[in-house]
Amino acid sequence: MPSGRRGPTRDVARPPRPAALAVALAALSLAMPAAAQVADLRPESLAGFSLEDLGNIEITSVSGRAEPLSSAPASVYVITNADIRRAGVTSLPEALRLAPNLEVARVTASTWAISARGMNNADNKLQVLIDGRIVYTPLYSGVLWDAQDVLLEDIDRIEVISGPGGTLWGSNAVNGVINIITRSAAETQGSFVEVGGGDQEQDVAARYGAKLGDGGHFRLYAKAFHDDGTQRVNGQSAMDAWKKAQIGFRADWRNGITVQGDAYDGRLDQVFPDDQRISGANAIFRWSHALAGGDSLQVQAYADHSELDAPGRPGLGTLSERLDIYDVELQYNMRAIGPHTLTWGTGYRLARDRVDNPPVLAFLPADVDLAWTNVFVQDVVALGHDATLTGGVRAEHNSYTGFEVFPTLRASWKPAADTLLWAGASRAVRTPSRLDRDLYSPAVPPYLVAGGPQFRSETSDVLELGLRAEPVPGLSYALTAFRHVYEHLRSVELIDTSYFVVANQMEGNASGVEGWVTWRVTPTWKLSAGGTTLRQRLNLRADSTDITGVSAAGNDPSNQWMLRSSLDLPHEVDVDMGVRHVAALPDPAVPAYTALDARIAWHPRPDIELSVTGKNLFGTEHVEFGASPGASVIPRAVFVNLAVRL
Amino acid sequence: MPIRPHPDVRRRGLAPLWLLLACWVLFGAAPRDVAAQPGIDAATAERRVKAAFLYRFVDYVEWPEAAFASAAAPVVIAVVGDDRLADELLRIVAGRTAGARPFTIRKLGGDVPATVGVHVLFMAGEGGRHPTVAAAAPVLVVGEADGALERGYTINFVLVDEHVRFDVSLGDADRRSLKLSSRLLAVAHDVVPAP
């Protein structure tokens, strides 16, 4: 379910505003070696690169062990720092709209439904990482997007992989992986100050970076914003204004050690008299080390604390959660031995979840410790004639279902230097969250909802076929066809016509095509387009007594597309425009919409950028998710921003 | 509610996994012709990226009119001390122009002065020599040595976390009557203001 969305009343299994629940994390696999952003270094291609593109090329990874994205046998889209800045977006979810292989719908001012390849309503099949820290919550397997943030200026890139990634990324990487990677402290030196305001939100942010004595660098940042909230279709306020402040730091040393952390505090208005409160803090230690002989090793450990207080109707108590996650991971990349190139790793993650239950609804037991242990290995086998075979398997033990296995087998072939054909067969697994096993209502017997004692993991068997090519310098495209077969999806079953349990009586399949094309028309003008089609067929098993229906899993558009233009004009003016179209959602019905965003920026001096962004400029203001008349209308908005980089 | 493995899961044996693993190792280890590494080494990558920067800089620099013999006169990029980089640059500029101007690439030896008609001069190596061109000549002088900006270079390549970036000296650009676009400066790693 989309974070923060208030579920329809018929869905008794939904907790009240999971989105309002504070951050959490879980942790399994470490991010794979950061893939090179650009791999094609043929001179004729380089000539089409902008200054910024050239500066973003990682010199080691083109020859090193990290796999360039252009040869990864998966459906990968990369959002760059420049893409984010030039789109004029002010939040992480908005930045994710730039990936054609994601469904991104704004539910209210602070809550979003983000998914890949369908399943937008379940909101529990994405693996999301920020600098290697897993940010989906074990409370319901979704991401609380209101709790997750970074300084957008410091993002290096966001790698969006649609499709299964469980072997490398662990449980929850069923339909996609979002990997948010910030720049190193060395790349964010100096001062940055940004002030922006508009008719919908007001933002302020600052960052300072400098050298440390022993060859290291650090940065500190702080940001805060206020969002005025939305109106419902019926004209009433959605009571969803919110504000949040966040601070953080990162330090990188030459010996491969990184230490970073963030802390935040937010207040969210809601229909009940008292505000929701979210807060949290995390700290990460990471060590990347190249060993003699060409092997390399990465070790990461982090702790992540989050808090949520969600007061209900007066007299009905407050749902509070205190969640602590501790995670340690190791990944070892071996040098090629004969045709084999092996990567293996292991990890352990512990979540200590403490819930204060209101009388109407409860996670039972209220306090629980969940642990995940994993080991994985992947082998890339060079077959000759520019073909490779990639096989991998992960075994993971979790507190609810014991061992789960996530295998993948992928083949790729380069018929020409600028063309890659690939195919993959994988099994991805979503292991249970607390929502699937521990949800009771009311908090004491007799229960109307009695947990999910038999809830097992959801599985997805996936076939993919992809093509990526750059037929002429400056023009590149990617195309992927996929078929997911789902089993054991969550349902809510009526037992003995008297109470409900969470079970696995839904199944189905989804197939579709996703693709995008980028054309650098001239060094100063870039056009890009992308889109997806989806045919999702879900059904309940014959013996099911489910009451939520298949739209509780996915209420997805059958297609969506986007088109962007990024133009550098004389006199230091940048003009960017983006149009996106999302087809209608079936149940609850949301009409199709088309939205135009535009931004114009001027640099009176190299270190100053003044920009005006208009969002949702043509067509009518629209609903993106949820049922009328309570659904939030996403308004037209104008935003003026001043950024100074010194 | 006690948390315990689901019965279905506990029944699942791991034997098929071992079988698969054994097949994989045998299959993969079979002798075969290993494809040549598709990647290029880091030094080549660095050289190519620097060459591409040299080509790209031209769009963001305005030379005084007198620096060109005519409106269609070529942009001359001279490379001192790195013939392989010059070769990469030749490949990059093949068939390309800067506005109406074609490109000419010159390879120069270490001590040959870059005289009249050079617009971009790249001095390779970390030795930190003084540029072989007059301090006020309208030439974009690019280096790759520590402290180059203090020795009469306009732009200096630096490696930052395995990325090729560049620093810019506004003072040197002024002395050489070169106008640098603010977009160039915005992408620069460090901009040293004019004194």
Side-chain angles (χ1 to χ4, degrees):
Chain A
M1 88 201 41
S3 49
R5 195 168 76 91
R6 199 151 192 30
T9 47
R10 64 190 172 129
D11 182 351
V12 292
R14 276 187 192 157
R17 289 194 79 116
L21 306 170
V23 186
L25 337 154
L28 286 175
S29 75
L30 194 58
M32 269 304 278
Q37 186 167 348
V38 178
D40 185 358
L41 290 187
R42 289 171 303 142
E44 58 271 31
S45 302
L46 280 178
F49 282 25
S50 68
L51 288 173
E52 206 148 29
D53 291 341
L54 291 170
N56 284 337
I57 295 172
E58 194 171 326
I59 298 303
T60 46
S61 52
V62 278
S63 59
R65 300 291 317 290
E67 184 175 38
L69 287 184
S70 71
S71 62
S75 184
V76 188
Y77 186 86
V78 178
I79 302 167
T80 66
N81 173 284
D83 293 338
I84 294 169
R85 182 163 41 79
R86 296 197 55 156
V89 300
T90 52
S91 69
L92 260 186
E94 274 186 298
L96 295 175
R97 283 201 200 274
L98 299 171
N101 51 344
L102 285 181
E103 288 177 37
V104 179
R106 190 165 197 172
V107 184
T108 69
S110 63
T111 59
W112 299 75
I114 298 177
S115 66
R117 298 185 178 177
M119 294 284 170
N120 61 352
N121 217 3
D123 189 25
N124 57 15
K125 292 180 180 58
L126 282 187
Q127 173 65 286
V128 182
L129 304 98
I130 299 178
D131 283 334
R133 178 174 60 95
I134 294 175
V135 299
Y136 78 82
T137 170
L139 195 62
Y140 75 101
S141 293
V143 176
L144 297 157
W145 289 103
D146 50 6
Q148 304 304 333
D149 205 357
V150 295
L151 187 63
L152 296 184
E153 167 78 10
D154 289 345
I155 292 179
D156 182 69
R157 64 188 186 276
I158 303 176
E159 298 173 352
V160 178
I161 302 166
S162 43
T167 308
L168 291 178
W169 308 90
S171 180
N172 239 54
V174 177
N175 282 20
V177 179
I178 298 175
N179 199 7
I180 298 157
I181 299 159
T182 69
R183 294 183 159 171
S184 75
E187 293 177 286
T188 50
Q189 294 286 284
S191 301
F192 168 79
V193 178
E194 185 171 50
V195 180
D199 55 353
Q200 197 61 34
E201 60 181 304
Q202 302 81 42
D203 297 15
V204 59
R207 180 248 292 146
Y208 174 73
K211 289 182 178 164
L212 292 166
D214 43 355
H217 296 81
F218 75 96
R219 69 165 176 255
L220 306 168
Y221 76 89
K223 64 182 290 184
F225 65 85
H226 179 266
D227 188 308
D228 297 343
T230 60
Q231 288 197 333
R232 301 180 196 274
V233 174
N234 61 16
Q236 294 172 351
S237 165
M239 309 284 275
D240 59 348
W242 66 303
K243 61 184 177 183
K244 191 178 165 199
Q246 180 162 324
I247 55 172
F249 75 98
R250 173 168 172 162
D252 297 279
W253 286 270
R254 278 184 206 278
N255 58 8
I257 289 178
T258 296
V259 178
Q260 63 184 109
D262 312 278
Y264 65 89
D265 186 76
R267 293 277 188 284
L268 297 88
D269 192 13
Q270 54 174 3
V271 292
F272 307 125
D274 296 320
D275 288 352
Q276 284 184 23
R277 182 181 152 269
I278 56 174
S279 63
N282 67 76
I284 308 176
F285 168 87
R286 187 166 46 247
W287 180 51
S288 302
H289 185 60
L291 299 159
D295 292 5
S296 67
L297 171 74
Q298 191 174 28
V299 178
Q300 175 178 280
Y302 61 83
D304 195 336
H305 174 79
S306 59
E307 301 191 358
L308 158 80
D309 294 297
R313 207 174 290 284
L316 289 186
T318 294
L319 178 68
S320 294
E321 188 198 20
R322 302 287 179 269
L323 175 63
D324 286 288
I325 292 191
Y326 306 95
D327 185 285
V328 56
E329 299 160 27
L330 179 148
Q331 179 175 313
Y332 194 93
N333 303 309
M334 291 171 67
R335 67 189 182 281
I337 300 171
H340 293 280
T341 305
L342 276 166
T343 301
W344 59 266
T346 183
Y348 175 78
R349 168 180 145 213
L350 174 69
R352 300 171 65 88
D353 197 30
R354 305 284 176 266
V355 176
D356 260 355
N357 291 308
V360 287
L361 168 152
F363 287 91
L364 295 176
D367 299 345
V368 79
D369 290 353
L370 302 173
W372 295 260
T373 309
N374 77 74
V375 53
F376 73 90
V377 60
Q378 176 177 281
D379 187 10
V380 179
V381 187
L383 299 176
H385 306 293
D386 291 322
T388 63
L389 199 59
T390 303
V393 65
R394 164 182 294 244
E396 184 176 299
H397 186 276
N398 72 84
S399 301
Y400 286 119
T401 65
F403 275 106
E404 300 283 354
V405 177
F406 312 61
T408 189
L409 182 64
R410 291 168 189 265
S412 71
W413 177 47
K414 280 190 163 172
D418 45 23
T419 306
L420 179 85
L421 265 168
W422 64 272
S426 315
R427 160 163 283 204
V429 176
R430 184 180 75 82
T431 57
S433 63
R434 295 204 67 187
L435 180 69
D436 305 308
R437 280 288 185 102
D438 301 344
L439 184 75
Y440 289 77
S441 179
V444 291
Y447 299 120
L448 181 61
V449 178
Q454 296 297 315
F455 188 90
R456 53 167 295 170
S457 295
E458 299 181 338
T459 63
S460 177
D461 292 317
V462 188
L463 290 175
E464 297 175 281
L465 189 61
L467 167 65
R468 269 204 304 277
E470 185 178 4
V472 293
L475 178 73
S476 61
Y477 67 86
L479 221 94
T480 305
F482 60 86
R483 181 170 173 83
H484 287 233
V485 175
Y486 299 105
E487 282 188 275
H488 315 297
L489 295 177
R490 180 172 62 206
S491 62
V492 179
E493 304 289 320
L494 176 62
I495 308 294
D496 300 335
T497 64
S498 60
Y499 68 103
F500 302 98
V501 296
V502 182
N504 301 87
Q505 297 282 60
M506 197 189 301
E507 60 193 15
N509 63 70
S511 50
V513 176
E514 54 203 11
W516 48 88
V517 55
T518 302
W519 182 25
R520 199 170 270 289
V521 188
T522 71
T524 56
W525 187 26
K526 190 171 88 170
L527 283 175
S528 51
T532 61
T533 69
L534 175 72
R535 204 168 77 157
Q536 185 168 257
R537 293 187 164 171
L538 304 174
N539 62 274
L540 293 159
R541 291 161 67 139
D543 55 347
S544 170
T545 55
D546 173 80
I547 49 137
T548 59
V550 295
S551 70
N555 184 24
D556 299 281
S558 61
N559 67 80
Q560 57 175 18
W561 55 261
M562 61 195 286
L563 184 62
R564 296 198 61 79
S565 159
S566 199
L567 179 64
D568 302 348
L569 289 176
H571 307 296
E572 318 303 343
V573 172
D574 303 336
V575 176
D576 289 82
M577 275 188 281
V579 182
R580 64 177 196 281
H581 174 83
V582 179
L585 311 187
D587 178 24
V590 175
Y593 74 89
T594 305
L596 170 75
D597 301 330
R599 173 179 184 266
I600 183 160
W602 176 50
H603 306 84
R605 282 176 31 186
D607 44 12
I608 295 179
E609 182 184 66
L610 187 60
S611 63
V612 181
T613 305
K615 295 174 189 170
N616 200 19
L617 285 178
F618 83 53
T620 50
E621 301 186 314
H622 59 267
V623 170
E624 297 186 1
F625 207 86
S628 296
S632 283
V633 176
I634 306 308
R636 184 167 301 139
V638 177
F639 189 76
V640 180
N641 194 67
L642 173 69
V644 181
R645 298 172 179 87
L646 294 174
Chain B
M1 160 122 339
I3 291 167
R4 59 193 154 70
H6 191 277
D8 282 0
V9 177
R10 279 193 292 192
R11 278 204 302 274
R12 186 182 295 166
L14 289 178
L17 198 67
W18 289 113
L19 202 62
L20 191 73
L21 203 62
C23 291
W24 178 266
V25 170
L26 288 173
F27 168 64
R32 67 171 45 77
D33 159 9
V34 178
Q37 283 295 320
I40 53 175
D41 65 72
T44 303
E46 183 179 334
R47 195 174 288 119
R48 282 190 187 168
V49 171
K50 285 179 176 172
F53 266 120
L54 292 176
Y55 157 72
R56 179 57 66 217
F57 286 154
V58 173
D59 284 341
Y60 298 91
V61 178
E62 206 177 298
W63 280 267
E65 217 165 291
F68 293 96
S70 70
V75 175
V76 179
I77 305 179
V79 175
V80 178
D82 192 341
D83 287 358
R84 291 170 65 190
L85 189 144
D87 289 337
E88 300 288 359
L89 189 52
L90 272 168
R91 263 177 246 141
I92 288 170
V93 303
R96 291 171 197 277
T97 57
R101 301 181 190 282
F103 282 95
T104 299
I105 308 301
R106 286 195 197 152
K107 299 179 191 174
L108 296 183
D111 300 320
V112 181
T115 48
V116 191
V118 171
H119 302 101
V120 180
L121 173 67
F122 176 66
M123 306 265 304
E126 302 192 347
R129 290 168 301 155
H130 284 275
T132 53
V133 67
V139 177
L140 184 80
V141 183
V142 184
E144 55 179 353
D146 279 352
L149 293 189
E150 292 141 33
R151 290 193 298 273
Y153 287 73
T154 330
I155 290 181
N156 192 35
F157 288 124
V158 289
L159 276 182
V160 181
D161 276 357
E162 322 298 350
H163 295 78
V164 178
R165 309 292 297 278
F166 59 89
D167 296 341
V168 179
S169 164
L170 291 180
D172 191 73
D174 282 354
R175 266 195 301 283
R176 298 180 180 283
S177 310
L178 302 175
K179 282 170 80 175
L180 306 183
S181 150
S182 67
R183 215 169 256 134
L184 179 81
L185 304 182
V187 179
H189 173 252
D190 194 13
V191 177
V192 180

